[in-house]
Amino acid sequence: MPTLQVDFLGSTLRNPFLLASAPPTNTVEMIARAFDRGWAGAVTKTIPLEKVPVRNVTPRIHSIAFAGFAEEARRVYAFGNIELVSEKHADYWMDGIARLRRDYPDRFLMASLMAEAAAEGDWVELARRAEAAGASAVELNFSCPHGGMPPHAVGAAIGQDTAIARRITRWVRAAVRCPLVVKLTAAVSDLRTLSQALALAGADAFCTINSFPVILGVDLKTHSPLPSVAGRGNVGGYTGRALKPIALRATAEVAPAGRPISGCGGITTWEDAAEFVLLGATTLQVCSAVMLEGYDIITDLCDGLLSYLEDQGAERLDDLRGRALHNVVPHASLDATARRKSSIDLETCTRCGKCAIACRDAGYQAINEAADRTPSIDEDKCDGCGLCIQVCPVWDCMVMRAV
Ligand SMILES: Cc1cc2nc3c(=O)[nH]c(=O)nc-3n(C[C@H](O)[C@H](O)[C@H](O)COP(=O)(O)O)c2cc1C
């Protein structure tokens, strides 16, 4: 009988799904409620020391949404936020971690920690207190993009500097025995070198990734970046579906470091989760999908992933972990002799003309249209780029076939 149980950093989890450090883990009560719904674990909202003032602005969350069909008028595919770390400080969280540990002894509870780059004592204090409170692991936040707290070297400013990140990892490694996870930013040129350096410095696992730094948009009337705080904005963190491709790339880059990975970024469906596993992830962290749909998505995530295990004839996620990694190869290693051409299913084609326009103005002028807009592929001209399939609004109407 297949199982979703995974072993992660010395603990056995009922399923691979953890709530990421974010609004769904804002309070101890919320984490407890998520555990009651079936989440295997959670990462606390990032914990600052008492002396760090955390003053959030309003509003601090904006989104990019599709204008969809009538029944789906607005469909968010990315959030951008300028939220800071937890407004609740270490005292609250350490007490809360102890309570959650007592009430939910089988759940994986990570304490997300942040201090300034040079503040060795603060990092050590936070990690020791989290360990003493009973955290299953500590997650070092080297990755939040909007360093809203002075001085500047917090979050991603640390994750973008190998020397600083390595130094902090060593401090914490020397201070505690509990597992140490480093949460990375993908806003660097190459995560391979960084992850290998941090593994050597004592990181037991990585979380790939935190939100990506962006300016989500600009209000055309007020000229303010979005979200607009009294007419001004800031670089924020991009999350949700749109982040997934960046997070998948990061996961594949970090896999060679040989440490377990907690995949994070855009996981919305069980299919997304499976993709992270195939690229090497052991656990899976979720934030934006819960912001959109609530804790109960855990049921669909688990049911779907379990069915996928069955379909693949696998007993455990371990059997599938990293299976896609050997297929990620340099471009020069791709088989340039494997030729494909487009084909159209005229039964489902709506004669919208999108494929012909795309091929005419951005392709190879290989799609001819009859007077009633029925398209046909000119096989001599079709180069097999695949653009027509991507712009076709009907699923599976156009496919590539081998020639
Ligand atoms: C509003 C908001 C606040 C967040 N706060 C934190 C935080 O305090 N610490 C942290 O490590 N990540 C934080 N994150 C990032 C998430 O933990 C996660 O890495 C990111 O949202 C990508 O996952 P997702 O696409 O499932 O949302 C925050 C994300 C959002 C949307």
Side-chain angles (χ1 to χ4, degrees), residues 175-234:
V176 293
R177 295 167 61 94
C178 70
L180 192 171
V181 180
V182 175
K183 185 169 183 181
L184 297 168
T185 174
V188 293
S189 54
D190 183 5
L191 278 168
R192 269 170 282 243
T193 319
L194 178 69
S195 55
Q196 274 158 21
L198 298 188
L200 288 174
D204 295 307
F206 294 103
C207 170
T208 50
I209 54 175
N210 209 317
S211 50
F212 196 86
V214 292
I215 291 179
L216 200 68
V218 177
D219 187 302
L220 295 183
K221 288 204 183 87
T222 66
H223 307 169
S224 171
L226 298 168
S228 173
V229 182
R232 292 191 163 173
N234 182 220

Side-chain angles (χ1 to χ4, degrees), residues 20-21 23 45-46 81 83 141 183 209-210 239-240 264-266 287-288:
S21 171
K45 177 86 182 154
T46 297
N81 82 86
E83 179 167 291
N141 180 340
K183 185 169 183 181
I209 54 175
N210 209 317
T239 72
C264 179
C287 160
S288 293

